[in-house]
């Protein structure tokens, strides 16, 4: 932007700028279920862990059980065990849960330490740190380009024209053009006239024409610029030099800065011109814009609390017309450079100009989506065509027609700064539908009304829905972001999955299966399925109980102790490789070793039977002479704990 545009706004050196799951309860067996036993797997895991057995998946499950039930003090113990496991890769969500649990017991120092690790892990994805590290930003600008058809509007002069606003089928804009009046004054620094507000009619195709001075009521001896009007057309907020009723305000250095002013329409006259209450002689405020509900005013300023040369702020407009305290939009938007010329669309998108965010030169135009809670999504450069190597700023758009205006001093213009009209042919925000089904992990059946929660990369809740009758859910999410989806259902263990959304419009599929938190078993069922026990592991060609096998047998032992009338038939199977006789003998020795371990640990021998079946009960086609994969053979190598009495 050339020097004149800076001066008409301000002095050149200053202003050119929870847990949602319910507690698991064991079902009380009634007469209808006399032949069933309900196994609380988590309690069994905990008892096994108390005996000194260590397993990262087991600690995850116990910690999660308490975390999702809101018992964070208890969760600390088990997450601590998880983090103490040597040579274990721990996923990012566990850092967050552990830190939150530590906060619950007042260990904030440890929580902060864990959160730092969480931040480090979460930020490792290159898409999540695109702008933070300024890597590949030109690729994103290129991807966002080619979305605009732009042409010079037919209302420009040889002087500076910029900063338009919609008003009653017109645009009102800022201009330094000379209308020939003897009273026109020029700024000595630029030999440009002070700016005034002009209006132009908008045709059916949104093309402006017939520019004329807007209204004498708002004109002063100095600069007026960048207005915004309420929808009823009865109130205007605008930028003006610090001048009212013939009196100039100056800062401590004797410089007259700029302020935001307000005026109201009475009949055909704009009256009651007053500076806004939060403005000051000591700093500049300029370029107002309104939120869609007109309850929030956004503006640019270098007031105290500014992070850079100029920042974007917002302030609440109270019902009585008074104002709250201005709030800096923070580092998501503001940098050490200049952020200025904000505009909020009817779709709650904040557009602004900046030279602090990665761009293609000078001031570029950027956009950030404003969420319902007031938070702001990551900033995106709106792309080339709209942006040029020069200064591009003062973007406005009609979201219904996708037509609008921006200002620029790019090459090929008519004046110092020109207004350009555009048609946006493709929306900037890259969105995807994140969808899937919530199912029972064993039966694969859908789980209707399961609670599904969407989190951002910092584990902040974005949205919660209930799955439909087919267990289906969906969220609209932004491309290039990392999300976590949590699924919850009564009588099931809560499950979470992380997903990275690619940078392309479309859909991302994320199904989530939930395990029952209680195993319902009856005579003839395999107790091992409650705990995912497919095989009791032995050393090769031996029948000695290995450490990992003892961990699984402890679970079986705990259930037998809970149900003293339960009896088991322990069956050991092999695949078809090796001889029939060898497999039968080996599996039989292993079944008996399993029984001996349980008896040694207190189970009465009359409650246990067992046999090795070798390869005679294969579950698939992998008999002798049939070529099978290792995975297919593994299906036949299994241990079963069949309930024979309850």
């Amino acid at each position: 932007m050339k020097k004149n545009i800076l001066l008409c706004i301000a002095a050149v050196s200053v202003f050119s700028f929870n847990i949602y799951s319910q507690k698991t309860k064991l079902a009380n067996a009634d007469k209808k279920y006399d032949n069933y036993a309900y196994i609380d797997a988590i309690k069994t895991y905990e008892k096994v862990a108390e005996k000194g057995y260590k397993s990262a998946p087991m600690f995850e499950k116990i910690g999660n059980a308490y975390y999702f039930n809101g018992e964070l003090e208890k969760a600390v113990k088990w997450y601590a065990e998880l983090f103490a496991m040597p040579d274990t890769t721990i996923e990012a969500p566990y850092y967050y849960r552990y830190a939150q649990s530590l906060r619950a017991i007042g260990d904030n120092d440890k929580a902060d330490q864990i959160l730092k690790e969480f931040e480090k892990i979460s930020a490792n994805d290159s898409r999540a740190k695109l702008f933070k590290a300024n890597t590949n930003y030109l690729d994103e600008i290129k991807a966002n380009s080619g979305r605009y058809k732009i042409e010079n509007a037919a209302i420009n002069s040889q002087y500076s024209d910029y900063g338009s606003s919609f008003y009653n089928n017109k645009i009102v804009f800022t201009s330094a053009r000379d209308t020939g009046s003897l009273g026109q004054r020029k700024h000595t620094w630029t030999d440009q006239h002070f700016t005034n507000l002009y209006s132009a009619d908008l045709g059916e195709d949104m093309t402006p024409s017939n520019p004329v001075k807007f209204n004498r009521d708002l004109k002063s001896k100095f600069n007026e610029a960048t207005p915004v009007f309420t929808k009823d057309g009865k109130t205007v907020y605008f930028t003006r030099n610090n001048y009212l009723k013939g009196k100039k305000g100056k800062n401590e250095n004797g410089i007259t800065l700029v302020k935001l002013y307000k005026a109201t329409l009475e009949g055909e006259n704009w009256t009651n011109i007053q500076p806004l209450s939060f403005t000051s002689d000591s700093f500049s405020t300029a370029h107002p814009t309104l939120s869609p509900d007109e309850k929030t005013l956004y503006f640019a300023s270098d007031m105290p609390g500014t992070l850079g040369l100029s920042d974007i702020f917002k302030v609440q407009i109270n019902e009585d017309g008074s104002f709250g305290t201005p709030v800096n939009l923070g580092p998501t938007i503001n940098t050490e450079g200049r952020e200025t010329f904000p505009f909020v669309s009817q779709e709650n998108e904040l557009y602004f100009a900046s030279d602090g965010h990665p761009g293609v030169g000078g001031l570029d135009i950027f956009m950030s989506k404003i969420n319902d809670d007031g938070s702001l999504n990551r900033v995106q450069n709106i792309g080339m065509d709209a942006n040029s190597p020069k200064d591009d700023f003062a973007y406005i758009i009609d979201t219904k027609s996708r037509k609008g205006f921006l200002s620029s001093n790019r090459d090929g213009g008519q004046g110092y700064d020109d207004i350009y009209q555009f048609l946006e042919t493709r929306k900037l925000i890259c969105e995807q539908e994140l969808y899937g089904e919530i199912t029972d992990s064993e039966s694969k059946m859908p789980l209707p009304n399961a609670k599904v929660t969407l989190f951002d990369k910092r584990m902040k809740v974005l949205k919660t829905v209930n799955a439909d009758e087919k267990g289906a859910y969906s969220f609209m999410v932004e491309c290039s972001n990392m999300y976590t989806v949590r699924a919850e259902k009564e009588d099931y263990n809560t499950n979470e999955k992380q997903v990275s959304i690619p940078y392309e419009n479309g859909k991302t599929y994320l199904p989530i299966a939930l395990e029952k938190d209680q195993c319902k078993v009856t005579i003839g069922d395999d107790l091992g399925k409650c705990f995912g026990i497919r095989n009791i592991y032995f050393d090769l060609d031996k029948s000695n109980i290995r450490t990992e096998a003892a961990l699984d047998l402890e679970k079986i032992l705990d259930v037998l102790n809970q149900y003293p009338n339960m009896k088991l038939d322990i069956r050991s199977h092999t695949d078809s490789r090796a001889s029939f006789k060898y497999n039968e003998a080996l599996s039989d020795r292993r079944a008996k070793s399993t029984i001996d371990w349980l008896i040694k640990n207190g189970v009465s021998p009359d409650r246990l039977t067992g046999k090795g079946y070798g390869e005679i009960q294969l579950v698939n086609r992998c008999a002798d002479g049939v070529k099978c994969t290792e995975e297919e053979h593994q299906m036949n190598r299994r241990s079963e704990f069949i309930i024979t009495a309850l």
Side-chain angles (χ1 to χ4, degrees), residues 217-413:
D217 298 331
L218 299 182
K219 179 175 171 49
S220 71
K221 293 171 60 177
F222 298 100
N223 294 300
E224 278 76 37
T226 55
V228 64
F229 299 86
T230 54
K231 294 173 185 176
D232 63 10
K234 295 181 179 180
T235 302
V236 61
Y237 301 92
F238 62 100
T239 307
R240 173 190 279 184
N241 278 110
N242 188 358
Y243 179 84
L244 185 64
K245 297 179 181 180
K247 183 178 180 181
K248 288 196 299 183
K250 298 181 180 180
N251 68 6
E252 60 184 7
N253 297 318
I255 298 174
T256 298
L257 303 176
V258 292
K259 281 187 177 183
L260 291 177
Y261 287 80
K262 175 183 177 182
T264 55
L265 186 64
E266 295 183 5
E268 296 182 356
N269 299 317
W270 290 99
T271 63
N272 303 316
I273 300 174
Q274 295 292 335
L276 303 190
S277 59
F278 55 83
T279 61
S280 169
D281 294 346
S282 301
F283 53 80
S284 291
T285 50
H287 315 319
T289 189
L290 288 165
S291 61
D293 62 8
E294 300 187 346
K295 294 181 179 180
T296 304
L297 184 77
Y298 293 80
F299 61 96
S301 180
D302 61 350
M303 65 173 53
T306 300
L307 304 180
L309 297 177
S310 63
D311 285 2
I312 309 296
F313 289 78
K314 67 178 180 179
V315 64
Q316 180 179 336
I317 304 174
N318 301 318
E319 291 185 5
D320 62 359
S322 62
F323 295 91
T325 302
V327 176
N328 190 301
L329 294 192
T332 298
I333 301 298
N334 296 312
T335 70
E336 293 180 354
R338 300 172 298 163
E339 280 69 48
T340 186
F341 289 98
F343 170 77
V344 180
S345 75
Q346 290 301 306
E347 294 178 343
N348 236 21
E349 298 163 335
L350 172 66
Y351 293 87
F352 64 98
S354 172
D355 63 3
H357 292 274
V360 296
L363 288 171
D364 271 22
I365 300 167
F366 296 85
M367 191 278 287
S368 174
K369 178 72 174 179
I370 304 174
N371 299 311
D372 292 341
D373 62 358
S375 62
L376 292 143
N377 287 352
R378 72 182 186 91
V379 169
Q380 296 188 67
N381 187 300
I382 69 171
M384 291 175 279
D385 298 332
N387 287 317
S388 71
K390 299 294 182 67
D391 289 319
D392 306 283
F393 55 99
Y395 178 105
I396 66 172
I397 188 171
D398 171 60
T399 53
K400 291 182 179 179
S401 66
R402 309 310 299 178
K403 294 182 177 181
F405 301 88
L406 61 84
S407 302
S408 178
N409 67 346
R410 65 185 61 189
D411 294 338

Side-chain angles (χ1 to χ4, degrees), residues 406-446:
L406 61 84
S407 302
S408 178
N409 67 346
R410 65 185 61 189
D411 294 338
Q414 183 174 345
Y416 283 83
D417 297 284
D418 281 355
I419 296 172
Y420 291 80
Q421 61 188 88
F422 64 76
L423 169 66
E424 185 187 48
T425 59
R426 173 170 56 89
K427 293 186 68 174
L428 171 63
I429 295 179
C430 175
E431 290 185 321
Q432 281 214 18
E433 180 185 7
L434 175 59
Y435 74 105
E437 300 85 32
I438 312 302
T439 58
D440 183 296
S441 62
E442 185 173 353
S443 70
K444 313 303 180 185
M445 296 298 292

Side-chain angles (χ1 to χ4, degrees), residues 32 54 74 200 202 224 266 269 305 321 328 393 409 436 455 467 535 573:
K32 185 177 181 180
K54 297 182 181 296
K74 294 181 180 179
L202 289 177
E224 278 76 37
E266 295 183 5
N269 299 317
N328 190 301
F393 55 99
N409 67 346
F455 297 84
N535 201 4
H573 303 268

